[in-house]
mmCIF file with all atom_site columns, all heavy atoms in Angstrom:
data_model
loop_
_atom_site.group_PDB
_atom_site.id
_atom_site.type_symbol
_atom_site.label_atom_id
_atom_site.label_alt_id
_atom_site.label_comp_id
_atom_site.label_asym_id
_atom_site.label_entity_id
_atom_site.label_seq_id
_atom_site.pdbx_PDB_ins_code
_atom_site.Cartn_x
_atom_site.Cartn_y
_atom_site.Cartn_z
_atom_site.occupancy
_atom_site.B_iso_or_equiv
_atom_site.pdbx_formal_charge
_atom_site.auth_seq_id
_atom_site.auth_comp_id
_atom_site.auth_asym_id
_atom_site.auth_atom_id
_atom_site.pdbx_PDB_model_num
ATOM 1   N N   . THR A 1 324 ? 175.141 91.602 135.560 1.00 98.00 ? 324 THR A N   1
ATOM 2   C CA  . THR A 1 324 ? 176.469 92.215 135.556 1.00 98.00 ? 324 THR A CA  1
ATOM 3   C C   . THR A 1 324 ? 177.514 91.153 135.883 1.00 98.00 ? 324 THR A C   1
ATOM 4   O O   . THR A 1 324 ? 177.340 90.380 136.825 1.00 98.00 ? 324 THR A O   1
ATOM 5   C CB  . THR A 1 324 ? 176.562 93.344 136.601 1.00 98.00 ? 324 THR A CB  1
ATOM 6   O OG1 . THR A 1 324 ? 175.624 94.370 136.283 1.00 98.00 ? 324 THR A OG1 1
ATOM 7   C CG2 . THR A 1 324 ? 177.960 93.947 136.632 1.00 98.00 ? 324 THR A CG2 1
ATOM 8   N N   . LEU A 1 325 ? 178.566 91.093 135.077 1.00 98.00 ? 325 LEU A N   1
ATOM 9   C CA  . LEU A 1 325 ? 179.666 90.175 135.335 1.00 98.00 ? 325 LEU A CA  1
ATOM 10  C C   . LEU A 1 325 ? 180.766 90.944 136.063 1.00 98.00 ? 325 LEU A C   1
ATOM 11  O O   . LEU A 1 325 ? 181.259 91.958 135.566 1.00 98.00 ? 325 LEU A O   1
ATOM 12  C CB  . LEU A 1 325 ? 180.207 89.590 134.032 1.00 98.00 ? 325 LEU A CB  1
ATOM 13  C CG  . LEU A 1 325 ? 181.372 88.606 134.170 1.00 98.00 ? 325 LEU A CG  1
ATOM 14  C CD1 . LEU A 1 325 ? 180.969 87.375 134.973 1.00 98.00 ? 325 LEU A CD1 1
ATOM 15  C CD2 . LEU A 1 325 ? 181.890 88.188 132.793 1.00 98.00 ? 325 LEU A CD2 1
ATOM 16  N N   . LEU A 1 326 ? 181.134 90.470 137.235 1.00 98.00 ? 326 LEU A N   1
ATOM 17  C CA  . LEU A 1 326 ? 182.181 91.095 138.048 1.00 98.00 ? 326 LEU A CA  1
ATOM 18  C C   . LEU A 1 326 ? 183.315 90.093 138.255 1.00 98.00 ? 326 LEU A C   1
ATOM 19  O O   . LEU A 1 326 ? 183.096 88.996 138.773 1.00 98.00 ? 326 LEU A O   1
ATOM 20  C CB  . LEU A 1 326 ? 181.611 91.526 139.400 1.00 98.00 ? 326 LEU A CB  1
ATOM 21  C CG  . LEU A 1 326 ? 182.593 92.079 140.436 1.00 98.00 ? 326 LEU A CG  1
ATOM 22  C CD1 . LEU A 1 326 ? 183.255 93.365 139.936 1.00 98.00 ? 326 LEU A CD1 1
ATOM 23  C CD2 . LEU A 1 326 ? 181.891 92.315 141.767 1.00 98.00 ? 326 LEU A CD2 1
ATOM 24  N N   . ILE A 1 328 ? 186.986 89.498 140.028 1.00 97.00 ? 328 ILE A N   1
ATOM 25  C CA  . ILE A 1 328 ? 187.771 90.002 141.163 1.00 97.00 ? 328 ILE A CA  1
ATOM 26  C C   . ILE A 1 328 ? 189.047 89.176 141.298 1.00 97.00 ? 328 ILE A C   1
ATOM 27  O O   . ILE A 1 328 ? 189.008 87.940 141.246 1.00 97.00 ? 328 ILE A O   1
ATOM 28  C CB  . ILE A 1 328 ? 186.963 89.893 142.471 1.00 97.00 ? 328 ILE A CB  1
ATOM 29  C CG1 . ILE A 1 328 ? 185.608 90.598 142.329 1.00 97.00 ? 328 ILE A CG1 1
ATOM 30  C CG2 . ILE A 1 328 ? 187.747 90.454 143.647 1.00 97.00 ? 328 ILE A CG2 1
ATOM 31  C CD1 . ILE A 1 328 ? 184.642 90.295 143.457 1.00 97.00 ? 328 ILE A CD1 1
ATOM 32  N N   . ILE A 1 344 ? 184.110 89.884 150.528 1.00 96.00 ? 344 ILE A N   1
ATOM 33  C CA  . ILE A 1 344 ? 183.374 90.137 149.284 1.00 96.00 ? 344 ILE A CA  1
ATOM 34  C C   . ILE A 1 344 ? 181.882 89.910 149.477 1.00 96.00 ? 344 ILE A C   1
ATOM 35  O O   . ILE A 1 344 ? 181.048 90.732 149.087 1.00 96.00 ? 344 ILE A O   1
ATOM 36  C CB  . ILE A 1 344 ? 183.921 89.253 148.143 1.00 96.00 ? 344 ILE A CB  1
ATOM 37  C CG1 . ILE A 1 344 ? 185.336 89.700 147.763 1.00 96.00 ? 344 ILE A CG1 1
ATOM 38  C CG2 . ILE A 1 344 ? 182.998 89.293 146.923 1.00 96.00 ? 344 ILE A CG2 1
ATOM 39  C CD1 . ILE A 1 344 ? 186.085 88.702 146.911 1.00 96.00 ? 344 ILE A CD1 1
ATOM 40  N N   . LEU A 1 348 ? 178.510 92.302 149.189 1.00 97.00 ? 348 LEU A N   1
ATOM 41  C CA  . LEU A 1 348 ? 177.345 91.957 148.376 1.00 97.00 ? 348 LEU A CA  1
ATOM 42  C C   . LEU A 1 348 ? 176.056 92.088 149.192 1.00 97.00 ? 348 LEU A C   1
ATOM 43  O O   . LEU A 1 348 ? 175.046 92.602 148.719 1.00 97.00 ? 348 LEU A O   1
ATOM 44  C CB  . LEU A 1 348 ? 177.480 90.540 147.834 1.00 97.00 ? 348 LEU A CB  1
ATOM 45  C CG  . LEU A 1 348 ? 178.528 90.323 146.740 1.00 97.00 ? 348 LEU A CG  1
ATOM 46  C CD1 . LEU A 1 348 ? 178.746 88.836 146.506 1.00 97.00 ? 348 LEU A CD1 1
ATOM 47  C CD2 . LEU A 1 348 ? 178.112 91.008 145.440 1.00 97.00 ? 348 LEU A CD2 1
ATOM 48  N N   . VAL A 1 355 ? 173.785 87.034 143.841 1.00 95.00 ? 355 VAL A N   1
ATOM 49  C CA  . VAL A 1 355 ? 174.661 86.247 142.976 1.00 95.00 ? 355 VAL A CA  1
ATOM 50  C C   . VAL A 1 355 ? 173.820 85.264 142.172 1.00 95.00 ? 355 VAL A C   1
ATOM 51  O O   . VAL A 1 355 ? 173.092 84.445 142.732 1.00 95.00 ? 355 VAL A O   1
ATOM 52  C CB  . VAL A 1 355 ? 175.720 85.495 143.799 1.00 95.00 ? 355 VAL A CB  1
ATOM 53  C CG1 . VAL A 1 355 ? 176.601 84.644 142.889 1.00 95.00 ? 355 VAL A CG1 1
ATOM 54  C CG2 . VAL A 1 355 ? 176.571 86.468 144.613 1.00 95.00 ? 355 VAL A CG2 1
ATOM 55  N N   . LEU A 1 357 ? 175.439 83.464 139.546 1.00 95.00 ? 357 LEU A N   1
ATOM 56  C CA  . LEU A 1 357 ? 176.410 82.424 139.193 1.00 95.00 ? 357 LEU A CA  1
ATOM 57  C C   . LEU A 1 357 ? 177.762 82.810 139.768 1.00 95.00 ? 357 LEU A C   1
ATOM 58  O O   . LEU A 1 357 ? 178.129 83.988 139.753 1.00 95.00 ? 357 LEU A O   1
ATOM 59  C CB  . LEU A 1 357 ? 176.510 82.284 137.673 1.00 95.00 ? 357 LEU A CB  1
ATOM 60  C CG  . LEU A 1 357 ? 177.503 81.243 137.129 1.00 95.00 ? 357 LEU A CG  1
ATOM 61  C CD1 . LEU A 1 357 ? 177.044 79.835 137.481 1.00 95.00 ? 357 LEU A CD1 1
ATOM 62  C CD2 . LEU A 1 357 ? 177.650 81.379 135.616 1.00 95.00 ? 357 LEU A CD2 1
ATOM 63  N N   . MET A 1 358 ? 178.480 81.820 140.283 1.00 95.00 ? 358 MET A N   1
ATOM 64  C CA  . MET A 1 358 ? 179.794 82.080 140.872 1.00 95.00 ? 358 MET A CA  1
ATOM 65  C C   . MET A 1 358 ? 180.791 81.054 140.349 1.00 95.00 ? 358 MET A C   1
ATOM 66  O O   . MET A 1 358 ? 180.478 79.871 140.227 1.00 95.00 ? 358 MET A O   1
ATOM 67  C CB  . MET A 1 358 ? 179.723 82.001 142.397 1.00 95.00 ? 358 MET A CB  1
ATOM 68  C CG  . MET A 1 358 ? 181.056 82.204 143.093 1.00 95.00 ? 358 MET A CG  1
ATOM 69  S SD  . MET A 1 358 ? 180.907 82.174 144.900 1.00 95.00 ? 358 MET A SD  1
ATOM 70  C CE  . MET A 1 358 ? 180.604 80.422 145.174 1.00 95.00 ? 358 MET A CE  1
ATOM 71  N N   . LEU A 1 365 ? 187.942 85.414 141.232 1.00 95.00 ? 365 LEU A N   1
ATOM 72  C CA  . LEU A 1 365 ? 186.547 85.069 141.497 1.00 95.00 ? 365 LEU A CA  1
ATOM 73  C C   . LEU A 1 365 ? 185.687 85.796 140.472 1.00 95.00 ? 365 LEU A C   1
ATOM 74  O O   . LEU A 1 365 ? 185.806 87.008 140.298 1.00 95.00 ? 365 LEU A O   1
ATOM 75  C CB  . LEU A 1 365 ? 186.156 85.513 142.916 1.00 95.00 ? 365 LEU A CB  1
ATOM 76  C CG  . LEU A 1 365 ? 184.688 85.332 143.325 1.00 95.00 ? 365 LEU A CG  1
ATOM 77  C CD1 . LEU A 1 365 ? 184.332 83.848 143.400 1.00 95.00 ? 365 LEU A CD1 1
ATOM 78  C CD2 . LEU A 1 365 ? 184.422 86.008 144.667 1.00 95.00 ? 365 LEU A CD2 1
ATOM 79  N N   . ALA A 1 366 ? 184.843 85.054 139.772 1.00 97.00 ? 366 ALA A N   1
ATOM 80  C CA  . ALA A 1 366 ? 183.932 85.641 138.784 1.00 97.00 ? 366 ALA A CA  1
ATOM 81  C C   . ALA A 1 366 ? 182.508 85.486 139.281 1.00 97.00 ? 366 ALA A C   1
ATOM 82  O O   . ALA A 1 366 ? 182.090 84.389 139.680 1.00 97.00 ? 366 ALA A O   1
ATOM 83  C CB  . ALA A 1 366 ? 184.103 84.969 137.426 1.00 97.00 ? 366 ALA A CB  1
ATOM 84  N N   . LEU A 1 367 ? 181.758 86.590 139.270 1.00 97.00 ? 367 LEU A N   1
ATOM 85  C CA  . LEU A 1 367 ? 180.391 86.590 139.769 1.00 97.00 ? 367 LEU A CA  1
ATOM 86  C C   . LEU A 1 367 ? 179.448 87.187 138.726 1.00 97.00 ? 367 LEU A C   1
ATOM 87  O O   . LEU A 1 367 ? 179.697 88.277 138.214 1.00 97.00 ? 367 LEU A O   1
ATOM 88  C CB  . LEU A 1 367 ? 180.292 87.431 141.051 1.00 97.00 ? 367 LEU A CB  1
ATOM 89  C CG  . LEU A 1 367 ? 181.158 87.009 142.235 1.00 97.00 ? 367 LEU A CG  1
ATOM 90  C CD1 . LEU A 1 367 ? 181.123 88.091 143.309 1.00 97.00 ? 367 LEU A CD1 1
ATOM 91  C CD2 . LEU A 1 367 ? 180.685 85.682 142.805 1.00 97.00 ? 367 LEU A CD2 1
ATOM 92  N N   . CYS A 1 368 ? 178.383 86.462 138.422 1.00 97.00 ? 368 CYS A N   1
ATOM 93  C CA  . CYS A 1 368 ? 177.306 87.019 137.617 1.00 97.00 ? 368 CYS A CA  1
ATOM 94  C C   . CYS A 1 368 ? 176.264 87.520 138.605 1.00 97.00 ? 368 CYS A C   1
ATOM 95  O O   . CYS A 1 368 ? 175.740 86.746 139.414 1.00 97.00 ? 368 CYS A O   1
ATOM 96  C CB  . CYS A 1 368 ? 176.714 85.964 136.689 1.00 97.00 ? 368 CYS A CB  1
ATOM 97  S SG  . CYS A 1 368 ? 175.393 86.595 135.625 1.00 97.00 ? 368 CYS A SG  1
ATOM 98  N N   . LEU A 1 369 ? 175.964 88.828 138.546 1.00 97.00 ? 369 LEU A N   1
ATOM 99  C CA  . LEU A 1 369 ? 175.200 89.474 139.610 1.00 97.00 ? 369 LEU A CA  1
ATOM 100 C C   . LEU A 1 369 ? 173.901 90.093 139.101 1.00 97.00 ? 369 LEU A C   1
ATOM 101 O O   . LEU A 1 369 ? 173.822 90.557 137.970 1.00 97.00 ? 369 LEU A O   1
ATOM 102 C CB  . LEU A 1 369 ? 176.047 90.566 140.265 1.00 97.00 ? 369 LEU A CB  1
ATOM 103 C CG  . LEU A 1 369 ? 177.393 90.117 140.829 1.00 97.00 ? 369 LEU A CG  1
ATOM 104 C CD1 . LEU A 1 369 ? 178.209 91.326 141.269 1.00 97.00 ? 369 LEU A CD1 1
ATOM 105 C CD2 . LEU A 1 369 ? 177.185 89.153 141.995 1.00 97.00 ? 369 LEU A CD2 1
#
Side-chain angles (χ1 to χ4, degrees):
T324 298
L325 180 62
L326 174 63
I328 306 168
I344 292 166
L348 289 168
V355 178
L357 179 67
M358 178 177 72
L365 175 66
L367 301 170
C368 181
L369 304 172

